[in-house]
Amino acid sequence: MTRLHLHSERHSVSRIGWLRAAVLGANDGIVSTASLIIGVAAAAAKPGDILIAGVAGLVAGAMSMAAGEYVSVSSQSDTERAELAREHAELAADPEGEVHELAGFYVNRGVDPATAESVARQLMTKDALAAHAHDELGISEMTTARPIQAALTSAATFTAGAALPLAIVMLAPVSRLVIIEATASLLFLALLGAVGARVGGAPVLKATVRVTFWGALAMALTAGIGMLVG
């Protein structure tokens, strides 16, 4: 008698929802706040003005990230609910046709028709809507939209990211603020890219270079504009 060996595996894709929001929030917090501080400092502003600009950027950015994520992910959630409602109606109107439709997905993946129909019937007996949501619509517990979680994660990580370049303003001498701010922020970005890639199971070097490059470009542009205006 063959014994079925079951074991659990942990995959990085299960973290994709909160990891995306976390990395995006922290990255934006560092880049936008550091760029704002560098731009204002390059315009020869007073230390107090630089600090005020940084704090304002942190608060505005955190609220913007939270609102943006909530609206965006809520739209995705609304679409998912609408699709599930339509699928529920189709299951009620033509259950047999939905069995053949689900079986068709398995046949396209290489399962023979008889086995595909048997699997479809078994899955639909247990939870027809969940079976169609997963295989027809691509909606599962792991990928479903969570607006509040995304909003809170983005706001919190943006604040944490923005606090790092803001702390440099209070510690670095004004005469060397631009250089120290840029260097420290790029190091923060490199660390963020490496950690995010490590947690997500992606190539560390590629992610680190990508995050650092775009951060450096943003800081260079705002520093140039600050010097022109100042």
Side-chain angles (χ1 to χ4, degrees), residues 127-205:
D127 191 334
L129 184 60
H132 280 268
H134 185 278
D135 292 308
E136 182 179 351
L137 304 177
I139 300 174
S140 67
E141 179 65 24
M142 194 161 43
T143 62
T144 189
R146 297 179 177 86
I148 295 178
Q149 181 190 65
L152 293 178
T153 300
S154 294
T157 52
F158 183 97
T159 301
L164 297 174
L166 196 59
I168 300 299
V169 177
M170 295 181 283
L171 298 174
V174 179
S175 60
R176 304 182 61 189
L177 177 59
V178 172
I179 296 298
I180 295 176
E181 182 70 72
T183 302
S185 296
L186 289 176
L187 290 175
F188 293 149
L189 285 171
L191 179 61
L192 173 65
V195 171
R198 182 74 175 177
V199 173
V204 174
L205 180 60

Side-chain angles (χ1 to χ4, degrees), residues 36-54:
L36 178 61
I37 289 170
I38 290 172
V40 175
K46 297 177 181 179
D49 296 336
I50 298 172
L51 184 59
I52 291 172

Side-chain angles (χ1 to χ4, degrees), residues 108-135:
N108 291 336
R109 295 178 191 175
V111 181
D112 68 84
T115 302
E117 182 174 342
S118 176
V119 170
R121 290 187 183 279
Q122 291 180 54
L123 289 175
M124 289 181 63
T125 298
K126 181 179 180 181
D127 191 334
L129 184 60
H132 280 268
H134 185 278
D135 292 308

Side-chain angles (χ1 to χ4, degrees), residues 1-83:
M1 180 178 179
T2 303
R3 299 183 64 184
L4 183 64
H5 178 65
L6 299 176
H7 66 283
S8 60
E9 295 182 348
R10 299 182 64 183
H11 295 283
S12 298
V13 70
S14 63
R15 310 186 187 108
I16 194 169
W18 66 263
L19 181 61
R20 181 195 67 83
V23 172
L24 178 62
N27 181 80
D28 277 7
I30 296 173
V31 173
S32 62
T33 306
S35 298
L36 178 61
I37 289 170
I38 290 172
V40 175
K46 297 177 181 179
D49 296 336
I50 298 172
L51 184 59
I52 291 172
V55 173
L58 183 153
V59 175
M63 294 305 298
S64 176
M65 286 292 295
E69 279 290 312
Y70 184 80
V71 170
S72 175
V73 181
S74 291
S75 297
Q76 178 187 341
S77 182
D78 291 342
T79 301
E80 289 178 354
R81 282 196 295 267
E83 289 292 331

